[in-house]
Amino acid sequence: MDLSDFEADNSVSCRLSSSTPDVCKTEDCCLGIDEAGRGPVLGPMVYGICFCPVSRKEDLKNLKVADSKTLTEAERENLFLKIDEAKDFVGWALQILSPNTISTSMLQRAKYNLNALSHDAAIGLVQYALDCGVQLKEVFVDTVGPAEKYQEKLSQRFPGVEVTVRPKADSLFPIVSAASICAKVARDHAVKSWKFAEDLGEVDRDYGSGYPNDPKTKSWLLKFLEPVFGYPQFVRFSWSTAQTLMDSKAVAVHWDDDEEDGEKTAARQNNTSMLSYFSRSKPSELAHTRDTHRFFTERKLQSINTL
């Protein structure tokens, strides 16, 4: 699987897709939706769709697709190749949600939780299939949140399409199994070949499964926690696991806000207020010159005294 478009800038999300089979533009089609990497603290979450004509469901089933979680990595790779080679009647598309996108979305002022992010990714992929000319009749989805509400939401968004939302849909419907395989293969490739934008030196890639309860993952998180700037963009810093480690191991930062005067709070905590960096006369402890951290030089940021 070629992820070069995503690897060119893995700080943002990316959509990848196969070509759309001509038969999918003329015959009624079914489409399955599933994701990979919802729970891990490391790496992207990938949403996948797979679609084929309703009349070719048995042909898809004959590819021996199954829930990706029940397959070995080698089996998933082999099945993805079969799906991709069946391009005369099968199409697929992926939305790769970068860890940075996930974290910044969840921590923005107007809360945008993982369920909403997942729903929007799924809706975007269905709309993409329609925009490509796929003649959709049936959509099968592995549920995120309450199945009935999610099904109602999708049915209202896509009138005229028969929507079925079920728990464990990847083990019930072959078209969802195929989507699951595409998503899982893409995530595996993205994690294995992750290009770190940060200068971390020799990176230990033995980070386990990426799930918060994995000892290898916990060890990796401890090893690559930068005390001032936190984690590389490979880490979903909105996850409680990462936040807990930053709270206990990283340098404490006070952010001036409206709840308490920033200058008074900083003085009480024996810290320097963020506002002091923008004052006309800097406090004595900031007066001496020192080398600027690479975070600022790389972004061509400079201190200013007036606005």
Side-chain angles (χ1 to χ4, degrees):
M1 180 179 287
D2 182 11
L3 299 185
S4 56
D5 287 349
F6 176 66
E7 291 170 348
D9 184 359
N10 56 27
S11 67
V12 296
S13 297
C14 177
R15 180 171 292 164
L16 305 173
S17 66
S18 68
S19 59
T20 303
D22 290 338
V23 68
C24 292
K25 299 177 182 179
T26 58
E27 291 190 25
D28 287 344
C29 292
C30 59
L31 179 148
I33 307 174
D34 200 11
E35 51 77 23
R38 180 180 172 85
V41 66
L42 301 179
M45 176 170 71
V46 182
Y47 255 82
I49 60 169
C50 202
F51 50 87
C52 75
V54 174
S55 63
R56 304 291 296 272
K57 279 184 179 181
E58 280 301 312
D59 293 333
L60 178 70
K61 191 174 181 180
N62 290 337
L63 296 179
K64 307 297 182 184
V65 293
D67 175 9
S68 66
K69 293 185 287 294
T70 67
L71 302 170
T72 66
E73 183 176 350
E75 288 172 334
R76 288 192 297 267
E77 291 281 350
N78 184 51
L79 283 170
F80 173 73
L81 289 176
K82 288 184 178 181
I83 292 169
D84 198 40
E85 288 169 358
K87 56 185 67 178
D88 60 321
F89 75 98
V90 178
W92 56 266
L94 302 168
Q95 185 71 29
I96 305 178
L97 301 170
S98 71
N100 188 54
T101 296
I102 295 169
S103 295
T104 53
S105 296
M106 293 178 68
L107 294 179
Q108 64 187 16
R109 186 177 293 274
K111 294 300 182 184
Y112 185 36
N113 65 31
L114 194 61
N115 279 2
L117 191 64
S118 299
H119 287 184
D120 288 348
I123 288 169
L125 284 170
V126 175
Q127 187 61 54
Y128 174 76
L130 290 170
D131 292 343
C132 288
V134 178
Q135 193 168 305
L136 280 185
K137 180 181 180 182
E138 304 170 345
V139 170
F140 300 91
V141 190
D142 196 15
T143 191
V144 174
E148 290 182 4
K149 289 185 178 180
Y150 192 17
Q151 182 168 310
E152 182 181 0
K153 181 179 182 177
L154 291 173
S155 296
Q156 290 177 350
R157 180 65 178 77
F158 301 106
V161 177
E162 184 180 335
V163 178
T164 302
V165 179
R166 294 285 186 275
K168 308 296 183 184
D170 46 3
S171 61
L172 297 174
F173 307 106
I175 195 67
V176 181
S177 301
S180 173
I181 289 166
C182 294
K184 180 61 175 170
V185 169
R187 174 176 156 81
D188 286 347
H189 281 230
V191 170
K192 274 188 174 182
S193 60
W194 187 268
K195 294 181 179 178
F196 288 86
E198 304 81 6
D199 183 11
L200 301 178
E202 190 68 26
V203 179
D204 178 9
R205 292 186 176 271
D206 187 16
Y207 25 63
S209 65
Y211 282 88
N213 60 352
D214 187 326
K216 285 187 176 181
T217 300
K218 288 182 178 179
S219 176
W220 194 92
L221 287 170
L222 278 169
K223 183 176 180 180
F224 288 95
L225 171 60
E226 211 287 330
V228 175
F229 295 101
Y231 286 109
Q233 292 186 352
F234 183 54
V235 178
R236 302 179 191 177
F237 52 85
S238 59
W239 255 231
S240 60
T241 305
Q243 290 184 336
T244 299
L245 287 174
M246 285 192 287
D247 288 343
S248 61
K249 303 294 183 182
V251 176
V253 177
H254 170 75
W255 298 98
D256 295 323
D257 56 28
D258 296 330
E259 295 180 5
E260 184 177 6
D261 181 81
E263 300 285 352
K264 291 180 180 178
T265 304
R268 175 171 56 79
Q269 296 182 349
N270 198 28
N271 288 332
T272 300
S273 168
M274 290 288 289
L275 297 178
S276 65
Y277 288 88
F278 301 96
S279 62
R280 289 181 179 274
S281 58
K282 293 185 178 181
S284 58
E285 64 268 23
L286 298 178
H288 68 282
T289 59
R290 59 184 176 183
D291 292 337
T292 305
H293 192 281
R294 63 176 175 81
F295 176 86
F296 300 100
T297 57
E298 288 173 357
R299 292 161 176 78
K300 297 180 173 56
L301 299 175
Q302 297 178 337
S303 297
I304 60 172
N305 293 327
T306 57
L307 295 176

